[in-house]
Amino acid sequence: MASSSSLTLSQALLARAISSHGSAQPSDHRVSLSALSIPTFSGLKSASPRASTSCRRLPTRSTRNHQVRSAAVETIGTAAETSLVEKSVNTIRFLAIDAVEKANSGHPGLPMGCAPMGHILYDEVMRYNPKNPYWFNRDRFVLSAGHGCMLQYALLHLAGYDSVREDDLKNFRQWESRTPGHPENFETPGVEVTTGPLGQGIANAVGLALAEKHLAARFNKPDNEIIDHYTYVILGDGCQMEGIANEACSLAGHWGLGKLIAFYDDNHISIDGDTEIAFTESVDKRFEGLGWHVIWVKNGNTGYDEIRAAIKEAKAVKDKPTLIKVTTTIGYGSPNKANSYSVHGSALGAKEVDATRKNLGWPYEPFHVPEDVKGHWSRHVPQGAALEAEWNAKFSAYEKNYKEEAAELKSIITGELPAGWEKALPTYTPESPADATRNLSQQNLNALVKVLPGLLGGSADLASSNMTLLKMFGDFQKDTPEERNVRFGVREHGMGAICNGIALHSPGLIPYCATFFVFTDYMRAAIRISALSQARVIYVMTHDSIGLGEDGPTHQPIEHLASFRAMPNVLMLRPADGNETAGAYKGVEKGGYIISDNSSGNNPDVILIGTGSELEIAVKAADELRKEGKAVRVVSLVSWELFDEQSDAYKESVFPSAVTARVSIEAGSTFGWGKIVGSKGKAIGIDRFGASAPAGRIYKEFGLTPEAVIAAAKELC
Amino acid sequence: MASSSSLTLSQALLARAISSHGSAQPSDHRVSLSALSIPTFSGLKSASPRASTSCRRLPTRSTRNHQVRSAAVETIGTAAETSLVEKSVNTIRFLAIDAVEKANSGHPGLPMGCAPMGHILYDEVMRYNPKNPYWFNRDRFVLSAGHGCMLQYALLHLAGYDSVREDDLKNFRQWESRTPGHPENFETPGVEVTTGPLGQGIANAVGLALAEKHLAARFNKPDNEIIDHYTYVILGDGCQMEGIANEACSLAGHWGLGKLIAFYDDNHISIDGDTEIAFTESVDKRFEGLGWHVIWVKNGNTGYDEIRAAIKEAKAVKDKPTLIKVTTTIGYGSPNKANSYSVHGSALGAKEVDATRKNLGWPYEPFHVPEDVKGHWSRHVPQGAALEAEWNAKFSAYEKNYKEEAAELKSIITGELPAGWEKALPTYTPESPADATRNLSQQNLNALVKVLPGLLGGSADLASSNMTLLKMFGDFQKDTPEERNVRFGVREHGMGAICNGIALHSPGLIPYCATFFVFTDYMRAAIRISALSQARVIYVMTHDSIGLGEDGPTHQPIEHLASFRAMPNVLMLRPADGNETAGAYKGVEKGGYIISDNSSGNNPDVILIGTGSELEIAVKAADELRKEGKAVRVVSLVSWELFDEQSDAYKESVFPSAVTARVSIEAGSTFGWGKIVGSKGKAIGIDRFGASAPAGRIYKEFGLTPEAVIAAAKELC
């Protein structure tokens, strides 16, 4: 079977995914599918694995940001009197305390400790428009220590975001509220990414900052710096301990992301107690090693000027990201619980809330925002509108002077793809020379990148195996940030989370990333957040079975197909290495389809089902069985998720319920196949770990052969 | 339903697992089961999650190490003449070159670059007995850069290990050879742990060094330092980039593991080319930040004395682990491929092999070990025997003077558990007060630790949620290494891999570790290696569903049960929160059993199946259905893996094939349930992400209710 047409499968799906991305569906809250691409790989035909790409169905995103308007302001204005600042900071603290208390669930400690830096960021430093959370040139903020989300909700509330009104604060952590227990971009406009699992947020922030640096380098002109915003992040001790944070921060240093400013909430407390019990490294020294500029704010509780000076210094360092270590007291203000783990993750309790009110001199009712605080913050709505208007004017000028670039940039901002982009895709016929699908995948990526201004990505140090290099571009590097090949190094987890940040920076940025399929184990938490947060990341995962041969069981995925089929919102495709016909396009759009059949009346003696490389085995078995007079149907089940979505009639036409003689073959766990083959059928697969040997030998030893399929079929019919 | 008896379930299984560990099965190569513990959690009854522990069926390990004999030598002897050293180093290089060439697959670059440090370690520094790879007090060596395994195979071969003879080298990467494509402890005696997935090995090494420090602190006496060995590791740029390495090394620094000596093969090349493209951090500075002693060997290619001096210096630093950065040339000796990615992962090719032979002045046939090299290395067999004999004499003396400690230590060394240990377990009756299973789990751990000298472990900063503290012990810390509560910090991935190292240090060390179930995503690669490498790690994973409520979808596992059921060698248990009877023990040993039934003749109208918290829902539904006259069977399916192992007759007695009306309920993905409920049954579960709200509300909104089960059952019968 020529593998040429198998690429067209993934090609068709890629097209589908990108189309649905282009058509934004503002308020579609159904569970949309992420896409995880699974390569085909012909273990039987050659030792060199082939890959094929595919992609997620793209997430929905508000259209509010699709309009490009005009404006620009230089600063947010000067700081308030210190007494008013303190009052604002205490407002933030008590909004958090009160919301957690009402929910009787949540994390008051971080908001109480980080309220000062939070206030300064949202009130004095950050540029945003509360009435359009999607204004393109906004500064991005990520709360990597996502459990402290009441900090962000309080700030969004004060700043005038419609997504967090008083009622929302009162519904903190309740069913269908816009204030869930951890920040979720898909629930709360103003929240950029989904955090909570520690370390993800700082890595997302690296992705956001990468996106800014990349776009600025591509589109800014000497007379018009149309892209110019910062990425701010707050992370805690927990984030600092996670390996993913080190991976992402190593890359941030390498890339010199000067507009990434991270606040490290250095409060010395984690859930198990003082960080002394498990975390005594010098974070400062480590970050210096990672190529960051490091500043220490010793008094994060009341040292407002210290915090301001640190931000000023950070902004002055343009070639390095900055870590501002801010020493704070967790639960600051609580007389009996501050500086202890007990204030981390539980409500203070009525008595301690009272004590804290007394201690901080806070006479107000729960959820009350004092009028002077409200008045002070109220300027952000008009200022935000002015900022956006000014920027929109700037964009109009840009559009006049740089028509072509403006069109590209607009496409990235809105997510609307250039008309006719799909014509750029290569077309294949059965006469096209056979090739490894990973090579075909690379042809497609290289074709797409010519017409998709937002496509960029790379591999975790396996570019030459995953075949993901974009030939017309160089490497995205510190001094060449306009390029589109991203070199992630051997940092799978960081890669996934960085791609989430890129995807969520702009509707038109479409990041892809790649490694061997088995190493999804290293990045599973990031892939899960891609799916959950509707970030349209394309995962090109090659070397998808024992077929990779000699590297052995540590490198051979077994349970991975099943494990991603079970994960919500992931659209997984395992295109076959086969002589698919042009008609297969339609079939594959349905996830599963009949590729050959010598029966009549929708009543074959047996149905053989394969995916990926193993479809070829099913076809060989069918040939033999037919010689013996059997009526055999062969079905390719490229994507279970897509097949599941089809009508009952279509499903019945492929798998008639009367036909219980069904044999599946796939070089992976049989877990889950029971649903397809039924209790009377047989699933041939691998329910043990792999082995180190040439691929053909392993297939044979593990019984993944036409003979095994024939024997199983004969037992059933 | 009282939850008291559900603990007895996991208790029974824990007993089973530990028993089977005690009975070593030297050459049982069947796929053995790992154990992953899944907590029960009653989302409907209270908001506080409960956990329960359970554990893996324990791996087999050669009994060769079960005999404690006598001996001790202080040094391995002096170095050979430099010319002979160079010849030995070139022997190592060419064994690697030749094996990769014959297999036409593999990684020659690392062995060629690291041969000098490899030679010095195995020939001059390490203390081991080639004829007993399991001699307890041996120095441990881990090749974290596992792709370079031909380095280790060549060294084991020269040292006289029976596991790697010339034929084994010639069968490199072939079916059933003892020289697989990456080091596998279960295939090759002399290999301590299974590496290849980058970063795992250095984390395993931290676990090995932890074990040594712990045991030395517990058992050494002023007059008899019975435990005294080093852990050496070689890691490359790839390992250094992985987050897991940073997690584990941060802990190694925190714990002051002075006998951990890591060689960082600083060759500036990774698969995608020069490390300049993705890895420009200062590793030295980072490791200083992590609390390590750092030494730089500038000439790792020929600077033998530099390497020797570095090791001497490292040994002199007793309160910190040491990183020796050894700058090498990948593929050293290959005139056209050295210092390039092309020598990393492919055979050199006949022409370049010839050129390398010429370049290094190597006139020998493939796989030839020159006589003088052979002669030089031959002393390791008698020296190793003497080392072990001397140590065994030391142990005899120890046994005489410290009888009790010697018995404990022997149990750790051999894996034979103290007689009658199982009597220490608490017993529960239906009258026992109901309690959260995570609390019951803690009671069991605390009972077991009194009788199991090798039980130790902890949580990734969730000890008070996972309920894993051992009350009679303090924390394992730098200055209190004799204690058994390990504080891993928020480092799930490092935790898992460190536990693998602990487990594989001694047959009687039984590590456990814990976090929320959803965060297995962070440590999945390490769990997979637990399963693959037959490391008997107990995973206590609590908060196993949407039942954790308000923390929301980032914290609520959905696909995780399915994803581990699909992983080979994992024994997963999800004990029910129910009023199990004493007879349930036996049932649970079978993985699934009937908990109630009002039908006769093995012919119920409908079978309701539940696991964990949802068993209670099934029971409530059954009560209602029976009131309406239905014959209803309720089945608890605690462990799919155990149930799968039962006889067909037993399975038929639980799930008669004639009864197709089956309804399952589980607060997780329905993926995989098709096999149990059949094509005519119905699986109730959750095939979307969770939500942030109180648990009861989510259960109701997601349709995990008795009413839903009743409705489904009525449709079917």
Side-chain angles (χ1 to χ4, degrees):
Chain A
M1 296 161 92
S3 58
S4 61
S5 47
S6 73
L7 184 271
T8 43
L9 300 188
S10 90
Q11 177 184 326
L13 281 155
L14 191 62
R16 173 182 172 161
I18 291 168
S19 306
S20 75
H21 173 244
S23 63
Q25 297 156 22
S27 56
D28 181 353
H29 273 276
R30 82 197 172 99
V31 177
S32 79
L33 296 178
S34 296
L36 181 79
S37 128
I38 305 302
T40 69
F41 165 72
S42 165
L44 290 178
K45 277 163 54 179
S46 97
S48 76
R50 277 165 281 163
S52 171
T53 186
S54 59
C55 67
R56 294 195 324 97
R57 197 148 343 144
L58 295 159
T60 61
R61 190 77 174 273
S62 168
T63 47
R64 272 173 278 186
N65 55 339
H66 290 182
Q67 272 185 287
V68 178
R69 303 179 224 126
S70 26
V73 166
E74 223 37 56
T75 57
I76 293 296
T78 50
E81 294 283 315
T82 299
S83 63
L84 186 53
V85 169
E86 268 175 9
K87 203 165 177 183
S88 168
V89 165
N90 281 334
T91 304
I92 296 162
R93 288 191 178 117
F94 280 97
L95 287 176
I97 290 169
D98 296 337
V100 172
E101 201 64 22
K102 184 160 189 302
N104 193 26
S105 172
H107 301 76
L110 182 142
M112 293 165 77
C114 292
M117 63 182 107
H119 168 89
I120 290 171
L121 275 174
Y122 270 81
D123 190 53
E124 302 175 14
V125 173
M126 280 172 54
R127 295 155 58 94
Y128 56 87
N129 180 4
K131 298 304 175 198
N132 178 9
Y134 302 107
W135 169 45
F136 178 68
N137 199 38
R138 69 193 180 276
D139 288 333
R140 267 69 170 176
F141 173 77
V142 175
L143 185 64
S144 189
H147 52 274
C149 55
M150 265 312 305
L151 173 72
Q152 193 171 7
Y153 298 149
L155 292 164
L156 293 174
H157 177 62
L158 292 175
Y161 283 78
D162 295 329
S163 48
V164 189
R165 297 190 167 148
E166 189 178 327
D167 274 355
D168 298 303
L169 296 176
K170 289 180 174 167
N171 275 315
F172 179 52
R173 294 186 153 226
Q174 302 309 303
W175 179 257
E176 288 194 337
S177 82
R178 286 195 290 192
T179 47
H182 290 83
E184 297 170 357
N185 61 297
F186 51 96
E187 292 288 358
T188 318
V191 169
E192 302 288 351
V193 294
T194 294
T195 58
L198 294 172
Q200 298 289 334
I202 175 71
N204 296 160
V206 172
L208 291 167
L210 178 156
E212 196 274 347
K213 181 164 176 146
H214 171 70
L215 295 175
R218 270 173 71 180
F219 294 105
N220 283 357
K221 303 290 177 185
D223 68 336
N224 196 329
E225 301 216 336
I226 192 69
I227 294 157
D228 176 22
H229 54 266
Y230 285 84
T231 302
Y232 299 97
V233 55
I234 294 179
L235 72 164
D237 291 304
C239 291
Q240 288 288 18
M241 288 189 253
E242 291 285 5
I244 183 178
N246 194 72
E247 291 180 8
C249 291
S250 177
L251 283 169
H254 173 74
W255 290 326
L257 300 178
K259 288 161 94 173
L260 173 62
I261 300 177
F263 295 79
Y264 162 35
D265 175 28
D266 171 46
N267 66 26
H268 291 279
I269 296 293
S270 71
I271 293 175
D272 279 356
D274 195 293
T275 53
E276 280 297 313
I277 67 172
F279 187 51
T280 51
E281 66 176 55
S282 165
V283 173
D284 313 43
K285 208 174 225 178
R286 176 161 62 88
F287 270 76
E288 281 166 15
L290 298 178
W292 287 53
H293 182 66
V294 179
I295 305 169
W296 184 15
V297 170
K298 290 180 187 164
N299 174 11
N301 295 327
T302 57
Y304 306 112
D305 284 341
E306 261 190 271
I307 295 171
R308 291 176 183 124
I311 296 170
K312 196 174 170 193
E313 180 181 331
K315 286 190 169 183
V317 177
K318 298 197 184 301
D319 61 343
K320 287 179 175 187
T322 294
L323 184 78
I324 305 176
K325 180 170 95 167
V326 188
T327 299
T328 68
T329 302
I330 191 170
Y332 179 88
S334 161
N336 304 301
K337 295 193 168 181
N339 199 28
S340 101
Y341 69 93
S342 66
V343 78
H344 164 81
S346 317
L348 292 179
K351 206 175 138 189
E352 188 63 14
V353 171
D354 280 351
T356 307
R357 280 188 146 70
K358 284 202 187 80
N359 187 44
L360 292 176
W362 198 252
Y364 307 105
E365 287 301 295
F367 297 103
H368 183 75
V369 179
E371 283 309 315
D372 47 354
V373 172
K374 204 177 278 179
H376 176 70
W377 280 83
S378 66
R379 77 193 189 286
H380 288 287
V381 169
Q383 278 189 353
L387 279 169
E388 179 167 349
E390 196 171 338
W391 186 82
N392 286 346
K394 208 166 160 181
F395 190 85
S396 294
Y398 188 90
E399 221 167 2
K400 267 184 207 139
N401 294 331
Y402 310 104
K403 202 171 164 146
E404 206 173 309
E405 292 93 327
E408 278 209 351
L409 177 56
K410 211 164 171 173
S411 162
I412 287 170
I413 293 173
T414 62
E416 278 166 41
L417 306 182
W421 63 270
E422 68 277 8
K423 289 176 194 140
L425 284 169
T427 52
Y428 299 92
T429 67
E431 288 70 40
S432 302
D435 200 353
T437 48
R438 62 174 173 165
N439 295 331
L440 298 166
S441 159
Q442 191 170 40
Q443 289 172 16
N444 273 260
L445 282 173
N446 277 281
L448 283 173
V449 81
K450 287 180 190 157
V451 290
L452 296 184
L455 188 69
L456 78 170
S459 158
D461 196 42
L462 286 167
S464 54
S465 297
N466 304 138
M467 302 305 288
T468 48
L469 276 186
L470 302 172
K471 291 172 187 172
M472 64 188 280
F473 290 103
D475 287 356
F476 173 90
Q477 293 288 358
K478 186 174 182 173
D479 297 323
T480 53
E482 69 281 9
E483 302 289 354
R484 300 210 220 163
N485 286 301
V486 185
R487 303 290 197 162
F488 290 102
V490 193
R491 302 181 185 94
E492 298 83 6
H493 202 178
M495 172 172 74
I498 289 169
C499 284
N500 286 338
I502 297 171
L504 295 172
H505 182 277
S506 302
L509 285 179
I510 304 173
Y512 66 89
C513 65
T515 182
F516 286 171
F517 190 30
V518 77
F519 298 133
T520 51
D521 283 348
Y522 275 70
M523 59 191 302
R524 198 169 164 91
I527 295 174
R528 192 175 203 259
I529 290 182
S530 301
L532 173 63
S533 68
Q534 306 174 4
R536 58 203 167 297
V537 177
I538 298 173
Y539 291 94
V540 182
M541 295 293 150
T542 70
H543 301 66
D544 75 348
S545 77
I546 51 165
L548 69 75
E550 291 90 340
D551 276 340
T554 53
H555 286 54
Q556 293 165 353
I558 296 290
E559 68 280 15
H560 299 72
L561 290 164
S563 80
F564 284 108
R565 285 177 184 146
M567 188 184 280
N569 288 15
V570 170
L571 175 58
M572 193 169 62
L573 297 116
R574 189 171 189 245
D577 169 40
N579 191 19
E580 319 281 7
T581 63
Y585 283 88
K586 200 179 170 194
V588 166
E589 279 183 6
K590 294 187 174 176
Y593 62 101
I594 300 166
I595 65 156
S596 73
D597 197 343
N598 66 329
S599 73
S600 58
N602 200 24
N603 190 27
D605 296 327
V606 64
I607 303 175
L608 309 182
I609 309 139
T611 73
S613 324
E614 289 74 60
L615 186 61
E616 186 179 354
I617 300 175
V619 166
K620 281 184 183 160
D623 289 347
E624 289 305 310
L625 287 164
R626 285 168 191 154
K627 281 180 198 162
E628 298 179 28
K630 300 282 186 192
V632 183
R633 171 176 296 178
V634 179
V635 171
S636 174
L637 205 53
V638 183
S639 168
W640 292 29
E641 296 85 356
L642 290 175
F643 187 73
D644 273 349
E645 289 175 7
Q646 304 311 311
S647 67
D648 286 347
Y650 180 74
K651 288 183 200 167
E652 177 72 18
S653 77
V654 176
F655 294 118
S657 42
V659 182
T660 58
R662 303 175 183 185
V663 180
S664 68
I665 183 160
E666 183 173 72
S669 170
T670 61
F671 191 84
W673 276 99
K675 187 179 164 186
I676 310 287
V677 298
S679 51
K680 291 185 181 153
K682 162 113 180 162
I684 297 175
I686 308 170
D687 292 312
R688 51 159 288 181
F689 286 112
S692 171
R697 180 71 186 267
I698 311 176
Y699 268 83
K700 202 179 149 201
E701 295 285 349
F702 282 18
L704 293 164
T705 60
E707 293 69 33
V709 175
I710 292 165
K714 284 184 176 172
E715 261 190 44
L716 301 178
C717 72
Chain B
M1 297 161 88
S3 58
S4 60
S5 48
S6 73
L7 185 273
T8 42
L9 301 188
S10 88
Q11 176 184 326
L13 281 154
L14 190 61
R16 174 183 171 159
I18 291 168
S19 305
S20 75
H21 172 244
S23 63
Q25 297 156 19
S27 57
D28 181 352
H29 273 276
R30 80 198 175 100
V31 177
S32 80
L33 296 179
S34 294
L36 182 79
S37 130
I38 305 302
T40 70
F41 164 72
S42 164
L44 290 178
K45 276 165 52 180
S46 97
S48 76
R50 277 164 280 163
S52 170
T53 184
S54 59
C55 67
R56 295 194 324 97
R57 196 144 348 142
L58 294 159
T60 61
R61 190 75 175 273
S62 168
T63 47
R64 272 174 279 188
N65 55 339
H66 290 182
Q67 271 186 288
V68 178
R69 302 180 225 127
S70 28
V73 166
E74 223 36 56
T75 58
I76 293 297
T78 50
E81 295 282 315
T82 299
S83 64
L84 185 53
V85 169
E86 268 175 9
K87 204 165 176 183
S88 168
V89 166
N90 281 335
T91 304
I92 296 162
R93 289 189 177 118
F94 280 98
L95 287 176
I97 290 169
D98 295 339
V100 171
E101 201 63 22
K102 184 161 190 301
N104 193 26
S105 172
H107 301 77
L110 182 140
M112 293 165 77
C114 292
M117 63 182 106
H119 168 88
I120 289 172
L121 274 175
Y122 270 81
D123 190 52
E124 301 175 15
V125 174
M126 279 172 55
R127 296 155 57 93
Y128 57 87
N129 179 4
K131 297 305 175 197
N132 179 10
Y134 301 108
W135 168 46
F136 177 68
N137 200 38
R138 69 193 180 276
D139 288 333
R140 267 69 171 176
F141 173 77
V142 175
L143 186 64
S144 190
H147 52 273
C149 55
M150 265 312 305
L151 173 71
Q152 192 170 7
Y153 298 149
L155 291 165
L156 293 173
H157 177 61
L158 292 175
Y161 283 76
D162 294 329
S163 48
V164 189
R165 297 191 166 147
E166 189 178 327
D167 274 357
D168 299 302
L169 296 175
K170 289 179 174 167
N171 275 315
F172 179 53
R173 295 186 152 225
Q174 302 309 303
W175 179 256
E176 288 194 337
S177 81
R178 287 195 290 192
T179 47
H182 290 83
E184 297 170 358
N185 61 297
F186 52 95
E187 292 289 358
T188 318
V191 169
E192 302 287 352
V193 294
T194 294
T195 58
L198 294 172
Q200 298 290 333
I202 175 70
N204 297 159
V206 172
L208 291 167
L210 177 156
E212 196 273 347
K213 181 165 176 147
H214 171 70
L215 294 175
R218 270 172 73 182
F219 294 105
N220 283 357
K221 303 291 178 184
D223 67 338
N224 194 331
E225 301 216 335
I226 191 69
I227 294 156
D228 176 22
H229 54 265
Y230 285 85
T231 302
Y232 300 97
V233 55
I234 295 179
L235 72 164
D237 291 304
C239 291
Q240 288 288 19
M241 289 188 253
E242 291 286 5
I244 183 178
N246 194 71
E247 292 180 9
C249 291
S250 177
L251 282 169
H254 172 74
W255 290 327
L257 300 178
K259 288 161 93 174
L260 173 62
I261 300 177
F263 294 80
Y264 162 37
D265 175 27
D266 171 47
N267 66 26
H268 291 280
I269 296 293
S270 69
I271 294 176
D272 278 357
D274 196 293
T275 53
E276 280 297 314
I277 67 173
F279 187 51
T280 51
E281 66 176 55
S282 165
V283 173
D284 313 44
K285 208 175 226 180
R286 177 161 62 87
F287 270 76
E288 281 165 14
L290 298 178
W292 287 53
H293 182 68
V294 180
I295 304 169
W296 183 16
V297 170
K298 290 179 188 163
N299 174 11
N301 295 328
T302 58
Y304 305 112
D305 284 340
E306 259 190 274
I307 296 171
R308 290 176 185 124
I311 296 171
K312 196 173 169 192
E313 180 181 332
K315 287 189 169 185
V317 177
K318 298 196 184 301
D319 61 343
K320 287 179 176 186
T322 295
L323 184 78
I324 305 176
K325 181 171 94 167
V326 188
T327 299
T328 68
T329 303
I330 191 170
Y332 179 87
S334 161
N336 303 303
K337 295 193 168 181
N339 200 28
S340 101
Y341 69 92
S342 66
V343 78
H344 164 82
S346 316
L348 291 179
K351 205 174 140 189
E352 188 64 13
V353 171
D354 280 352
T356 307
R357 278 189 147 70
K358 283 201 189 81
N359 188 42
L360 292 176
W362 199 252
Y364 308 105
E365 289 300 296
F367 297 103
H368 182 76
V369 178
E371 282 310 315
D372 48 352
V373 172
K374 203 178 280 180
H376 175 69
W377 279 84
S378 67
R379 77 193 190 287
H380 288 285
V381 169
Q383 278 188 353
L387 280 169
E388 179 167 349
E390 197 171 337
W391 186 82
N392 286 346
K394 208 167 161 181
F395 189 85
S396 294
Y398 188 90
E399 219 167 3
K400 266 183 208 140
N401 294 329
Y402 310 104
K403 204 170 163 151
E404 207 173 308
E405 292 94 327
E408 278 209 349
L409 177 55
K410 212 165 170 174
S411 162
I412 288 170
I413 293 172
T414 62
E416 279 167 38
L417 306 181
W421 63 270
E422 66 277 8
K423 289 176 193 139
L425 284 170
T427 52
Y428 299 92
T429 67
E431 287 71 40
S432 301
D435 199 353
T437 48
R438 62 175 173 164
N439 295 330
L440 297 166
S441 160
Q442 192 171 39
Q443 289 173 16
N444 273 260
L445 282 173
N446 277 281
L448 283 173
V449 81
K450 288 181 189 156
V451 291
L452 296 184
L455 187 69
L456 78 169
S459 158
D461 197 42
L462 286 167
S464 54
S465 297
N466 304 139
M467 301 306 287
T468 47
L469 277 186
L470 302 172
K471 291 172 186 170
M472 63 188 282
F473 291 103
D475 286 356
F476 173 89
Q477 293 288 358
K478 186 173 183 173
D479 297 323
T480 53
E482 69 281 8
E483 302 289 354
R484 300 209 219 163
N485 286 303
V486 185
R487 304 290 197 163
F488 290 101
V490 193
R491 302 181 183 94
E492 298 82 6
H493 202 177
M495 173 172 74
I498 288 170
C499 284
N500 286 339
I502 296 171
L504 295 172
H505 181 277
S506 302
L509 285 179
I510 304 173
Y512 65 89
C513 65
T515 182
F516 287 170
F517 190 31
V518 78
F519 298 133
T520 52
D521 283 349
Y522 275 69
M523 58 192 301
R524 198 169 164 91
I527 295 175
R528 191 174 204 260
I529 289 182
S530 300
L532 173 63
S533 68
Q534 306 174 3
R536 58 203 167 295
V537 177
I538 298 173
Y539 291 94
V540 182
M541 295 293 151
T542 71
H543 301 67
D544 75 347
S545 77
I546 51 164
L548 70 75
E550 291 90 341
D551 276 341
T554 53
H555 285 55
Q556 293 165 353
I558 296 288
E559 68 280 15
H560 299 71
L561 289 164
S563 79
F564 284 108
R565 285 177 184 145
M567 187 184 280
N569 288 15
V570 170
L571 174 59
M572 195 170 61
L573 296 117
R574 189 170 189 246
D577 168 40
N579 191 19
E580 320 280 7
T581 63
Y585 282 87
K586 202 177 167 194
V588 166
E589 280 183 5
K590 294 185 174 177
Y593 62 101
I594 299 166
I595 65 155
S596 73
D597 197 343
N598 65 329
S599 74
S600 58
N602 200 24
N603 190 27
D605 297 328
V606 64
I607 303 175
L608 308 182
I609 310 139
T611 74
S613 323
E614 289 73 60
L615 185 61
E616 187 180 353
I617 300 175
V619 166
K620 280 184 184 159
D623 289 347
E624 290 305 310
L625 287 164
R626 285 168 191 154
K627 280 181 199 162
E628 298 179 27
K630 300 283 186 192
V632 184
R633 172 176 295 178
V634 179
V635 171
S636 174
L637 205 53
V638 182
S639 167
W640 292 28
E641 296 84 357
L642 289 176
F643 187 73
D644 274 349
E645 289 175 8
Q646 305 310 312
S647 67
D648 286 347
Y650 180 73
K651 288 183 200 166
E652 177 72 18
S653 76
V654 176
F655 294 118
S657 43
V659 181
T660 58
R662 303 176 184 185
V663 179
S664 68
I665 182 159
E666 184 174 72
S669 169
T670 60
F671 191 83
W673 276 99
K675 187 180 164 186
I676 310 287
V677 298
S679 51
K680 291 185 180 152
K682 162 113 180 162
I684 297 175
I686 307 170
D687 292 312
R688 51 159 289 181
F689 286 112
S692 171
R697 181 71 186 267
I698 311 176
Y699 267 83
K700 201 179 149 199
E701 296 285 351
F702 281 18
L704 292 164
T705 60
E707 293 71 34
V709 176
I710 292 165
K714 283 183 177 171
E715 262 189 42
L716 301 177
C717 73

